[in-house]
Amino acid sequence: MHSFGYRANALLTFAVTILALMCAIASLSDNLNTPSPSAQIEILNINWFQKQPHGNDEVSLTLNITADLQSLFTWNTKQLFIFVAAEYETPKNALNQVSLWDAIIPAKEFAKFSIHTSNKYRFIDQGHNLRSKEFNLTLHWHVMPKTGKMFANKIVMSGYRLPEDYR
Amino acid sequence: MDWQGQKLAEHLMQILLLAFAVVAFATGYIMGSFQMMILIYAGGVVLTTLVTVPNWPFFNRHPLKWLDPSEAEKHPKPQLAVNSKKKSVKKN
């Protein structure tokens, strides 16, 4: 600790190291949180259901998405990224996941919501397998932290079915 | 700064920073505010810098006893030998 510069350097290095440790502990504290999220998705309407010129099926839906994701927020949460995906099986693929809608929830106040929307992204199949297809709608969320580990999970809602014929 | 002062400065810096870190984390966690934690810690770093980095008088309470100039003259530094038989330096 001989000179001004020496002490300033030692202090700064130590301060930044301690800051890194604080952030690590803050991230670990996220594991103490036990979230209890809930969600429902209702298909209000099948707007249209067609076979495209290239032979792939496409369907357009109107959804009512209701969810309460407030318990996912901690002091170390920057935002929540959520998306709704349709999951189904075809002869060609064991699992198809098509993302229909997503959103960013920036704060706890906005995490309890009910939204009426058509699918933001197109629901197109690889093929023409969608007629009278049973599928699940899953709400996925990614808890994006201010520092540290990101947690991701989902709720699977099953029991949805597409019509037998094109409309 | 003298030797005791340097030791004091180093210990003071480490303890102050750790203390502020603990207080900042506890406050942030209890209040549920990450920003509060960062602000308290930043304030703590600035305060610690002001206390430990400049050369305050209380760091110099055991000043080193440098020799008086008159005492130093009685013990001159050894001189290099001008005429040496071992080495011959040629200047071109």
Side-chain angles (χ1 to χ4, degrees), chain A residues 3 13 47 71 74 123:
Chain A
S3 71
T13 313
N47 304 329
S71 58
T74 71
F123 188 169

Side-chain angles (χ1 to χ4, degrees), chain A residues 38-42 64-67 83-87 135-141 154-160:
Chain A
S38 64
Q40 287 107 38
I41 303 183
E42 202 188 320
N64 183 15
I65 306 168
T66 311
F83 65 95
V84 172
E87 293 174 354
F135 63 100
N136 293 339
L137 284 173
T138 6
L139 177 69
H140 296 248
W141 59 82
K154 61 185 180 185
I155 291 181
V156 180
M157 290 154 277
S158 52
Y160 302 92

Side-chain angles (χ1 to χ4, degrees), chain B residues 10-78:
Chain B
E10 180 166 359
H11 284 322
L12 212 58
M13 174 198 81
Q14 290 169 344
I15 291 175
L16 278 176
L17 280 178
L18 278 169
F20 268 106
V22 169
V23 167
F25 189 85
T27 313
Y29 188 72
I30 290 170
M31 283 180 63
S33 167
F34 196 83
Q35 184 162 21
M36 210 72 249
M37 174 176 96
I38 297 291
L39 283 175
I40 294 178
Y41 185 62
V45 171
V46 169
L47 190 77
T48 311
T49 313
L50 289 173
V51 168
T52 61
V53 172
N55 201 357
W56 298 115
F58 66 82
F59 287 127
N60 207 16
R61 272 185 263 166
H62 307 270
L64 295 161
K65 293 193 179 59
W66 298 105
L67 286 177
D68 288 331
S70 55
E71 184 73 31
E73 275 164 19
K74 290 179 194 168
H75 308 275
K77 277 186 176 175

Side-chain angles (χ1 to χ4, degrees), chain A:
Chain A
M1 312 292 273
H2 308 292
S3 71
F4 180 88
Y6 191 106
R7 287 194 296 278
N9 178 40
L11 185 145
L12 217 60
T13 313
F14 197 56
V16 171
T17 309
I18 293 183
L19 183 66
L21 277 169
M22 285 199 317
C23 289
I25 300 176
S27 177
L28 285 173
S29 79
D30 271 351
N31 290 315
L32 298 170
N33 185 37
T34 49
S36 51
S38 64
Q40 287 107 38
I41 303 183
E42 202 188 320
I43 298 187
L44 293 171
N45 189 30
I46 310 256
N47 304 329
W48 45 264
F49 183 8
Q50 282 166 10
K51 186 170 177 168
Q52 288 184 333
H54 292 286
N56 295 333
D57 280 350
E58 183 176 351
V59 64
S60 167
L61 310 158
T62 304
L63 303 165
N64 183 15
I65 306 168
T66 311
D68 180 2
L69 304 170
Q70 286 184 325
S71 58
L72 292 167
F73 274 85
T74 71
W75 72 304
N76 187 28
T77 303
K78 183 180 187 313
Q79 63 195 15
L80 210 59
F81 174 69
I82 61 175
F83 65 95
V84 172
E87 293 174 354
Y88 58 95
E89 198 185 312
T90 57
K92 189 174 154 200
N93 304 322
L95 176 66
N96 297 276
Q97 287 173 311
V98 183
S99 181
L100 298 178
W101 175 85
D102 58 28
I104 289 179
I105 303 180
K108 196 168 179 173
E109 301 85 66
F110 306 106
K112 189 168 182 178
F113 64 92
S114 180
I115 182 172
H116 196 112
T117 175
S118 62
N119 49 316
K120 202 169 170 185
Y121 306 109
R122 300 169 69 174
F123 188 169
I124 301 178
D125 185 32
Q126 286 180 339
H128 45 93
N129 306 299
L130 290 183
R131 276 166 297 174
S132 100
K133 178 57 85 181
E134 274 180 27
F135 63 100
N136 293 339
L137 284 173
T138 6
L139 177 69
H140 296 248
W141 59 82
H142 286 59
V143 182
M144 300 169 75
K146 290 191 171 118
T147 111
K149 185 172 179 238
M150 182 171 84
F151 295 87
N153 214 333
K154 61 185 180 185
I155 291 181
V156 180
M157 290 154 277
S158 52
Y160 302 92
R161 196 193 197 105
L162 286 171
E164 282 152 24
D165 270 320
Y166 297 124
R167 305 188 184 168

